[in-house]
Amino acid sequence: MQKKIVLMFAVCSAVAMLVLLIWYKNHSEMTLLSQQSFPPAAVRVKMVTSDVWTQKIFAAGTVAAEHGIDVTAPLPGTVVSIDFKSGGSVIKGQPLLSLDIGVPEAEYKGLVAMSTLREIQLERATKLFADKQISVSELDSAVAENNAAAAAAAAQKAYIDRKTVYAPFDGELGIRLIDLGSYLTPGDPIVSLQMLDPINIDYSLPEKHLQDVKVGQQLELSVSAYPERIFLARITTIEPNIDLDTRTLKIRASLRNPQKLLKPGMFVESWTIRKDKKTVLKLPRTAVTYSSFGEVVFVVTSKGDDTVVERRSVTTGEIRGDEIELVSGVAEKDVVVVIGQNKLRNGMKVMVTETLSTSGVD
């Protein structure tokens, strides 16, 4: 029993000595590490500047055609002529296709002949009435029969005319949906027709912006198809009522689209330009770091003879291009690291290699 106790004591002493040696080694390494002097981190900086920004209201919208329809068949019939090509341009009144008019045309000729006969009979009845050989009622019957015959012929002529489908407005055609010999019933789609110039933008704003918008106001537009291009439009219509479901105000803007760059259905980012402006503090977007502390920047300060950085939490605002608004956390003329802050920590020494101009990051 006594041997076991001595053995256990020896083992515990050995373990304790091993732990002590490990701690001493780590402590010595940390002490040496803390005594080493690391070279300052190289950074590029920029001074916080103020600027006057025109205020804008952002909203997502959709491109909508000034006029846009699916051309449909107004009457039943078999297609005997197609006078357009898919993707072509048309002008108002241009014929698009014709339906078979064989039977209706024959009926029309018969109605024209009957109308001619009724007209001759009316002329004869008029002479007889003047000679007092027929009564007023007989003359009235002749007039009514003549009018009815003329109306029947005109109705048949209108029916035949509607067998030809015309473009209702200038625009661009889509893909043809019918072929020669196709039998169409009223409402069958023939081709899509869209007026692309001018073009409209439909979007909505929260009701709180009701007093900030009016007809004629300008807005800037951006679409993903042309990311580097800004389109300018003007508000043409503001709905007089607020949408009950979303509590938003529906707005339509319009712009010229001569190159047909904007197409109906495209997603649009819009910025309605307000009259009022605001003064902001701004920095390049690269200056702001997002971490567990929130949004932070590193401000360059002096500590004795050393140049060090101070980590500050900031509140950001609007983003415009490569610049970001700083609402709080910095003051004008503060010098902030804009490139190289990923390797920094609070109080670390730095070496400024370049101070960027007010134009931003090169």
Side-chain angles (χ1 to χ4, degrees), residues 25-39 345:
K25 181 181 178 183
N26 291 339
H27 179 72
S28 299
E29 290 177 352
M30 291 298 293
T31 301
L32 290 174
L33 188 64
S34 64
Q35 291 175 351
Q36 292 180 358
S37 58
F38 293 96
R345 61 180 185 274

Side-chain angles (χ1 to χ4, degrees), residues 13 19 69 110 263 283 287 298 317 327:
S13 297
V19 172
I69 62 168
K263 307 290 186 181
L283 277 173
F298 287 92
V327 179

Side-chain angles (χ1 to χ4, degrees), residues 125 128-129 132-141:
L128 291 175
F129 179 75
K132 298 183 179 180
Q133 296 184 22
I134 60 174
S135 63
V136 175
S137 61
E138 290 175 311
L139 176 63
D140 292 341
S141 296

Side-chain angles (χ1 to χ4, degrees), residues 86-334:
S86 297
S89 298
V90 294
I91 60 174
K92 182 179 180 180
Q94 179 177 331
L96 300 179
L97 64 79
S98 299
L99 302 176
D100 177 45
I101 58 170
V103 174
E105 190 172 36
E107 293 176 348
Y108 172 67
K109 291 178 179 179
L111 292 173
V112 170
M114 180 59 67
S115 178
T116 301
L117 174 62
R118 295 303 184 189
E119 187 175 353
I120 294 172
Q121 290 175 339
L122 175 60
E123 291 177 357
R124 185 180 300 117
T126 302
K127 291 179 180 180
L128 291 175
F129 179 75
D131 295 336
K132 298 183 179 180
Q133 296 184 22
I134 60 174
S135 63
V136 175
S137 61
E138 290 175 311
L139 176 63
D140 292 341
S141 296
V143 171
E145 290 173 354
N146 177 69
N147 292 341
Q156 188 67 8
K157 180 63 167 59
Y159 181 85
I160 292 173
D161 289 342
R162 294 188 67 195
K163 288 282 189 173
T164 300
V165 180
Y166 301 90
F169 50 82
D170 299 351
E172 308 295 318
L173 295 172
I175 299 174
R176 176 167 53 86
L177 303 176
I178 50 89
D179 296 299
L180 286 174
S182 298
Y183 182 81
L184 303 181
T185 59
D188 284 348
I190 298 170
V191 67
S192 172
L193 176 59
Q194 307 290 326
M195 180 182 284
L196 302 182
D197 185 25
I199 200 80
N200 297 322
I201 309 297
D202 292 336
Y203 66 104
S204 299
L205 291 178
E207 60 179 315
K208 67 179 181 180
H209 292 299
L210 178 60
Q211 62 179 354
D212 297 326
V213 294
K214 65 177 182 179
V215 172
Q217 195 166 341
Q218 193 176 63
L219 63 152
E220 299 175 349
L221 308 171
S222 175
V223 294
S224 59
Y226 313 101
E228 298 181 356
R229 181 162 182 173
I230 298 297
F231 299 87
L232 298 178
R234 291 193 179 275
I235 295 175
T236 55
T237 307
I238 300 175
E239 280 281 3
N241 62 295
I242 303 297
D243 188 277
L244 294 178
D245 296 326
T246 60
R247 301 298 178 183
T248 56
L249 181 67
K250 294 182 179 180
I251 301 173
R252 167 164 285 189
S254 180
L255 71 155
R256 295 301 308 272
N257 188 34
Q259 296 177 301
K260 313 296 192 299
L261 298 180
L262 300 179
K263 307 290 186 181
M266 292 180 76
F267 176 80
V268 173
E269 292 182 330
S270 70
W271 293 268
T272 304
I273 301 174
R274 296 171 54 174
K275 286 187 175 181
D276 53 332
K277 300 181 179 181
K278 65 177 179 179
T279 301
V280 300
L281 296 179
K282 65 178 184 177
L283 277 173
R285 294 173 62 179
T286 56
V288 180
T289 302
Y290 302 90
S291 67
S292 58
F293 299 97
E295 298 172 316
V296 299
V297 298
F298 287 92
V299 179
V300 177
T301 61
S302 296
K303 185 177 182 181
D305 296 332
D306 298 325
T307 301
V308 299
V309 289
E310 176 188 343
R311 184 178 59 212
R312 293 187 191 174
S313 296
V314 295
T315 303
T316 59
E318 188 177 350
I319 296 174
R320 293 196 181 179
D322 294 330
E323 296 181 324
I324 187 169
E325 175 191 1
L326 298 177
V327 179
S328 65
V330 295
E332 188 173 1
K333 296 186 178 180
D334 279 346

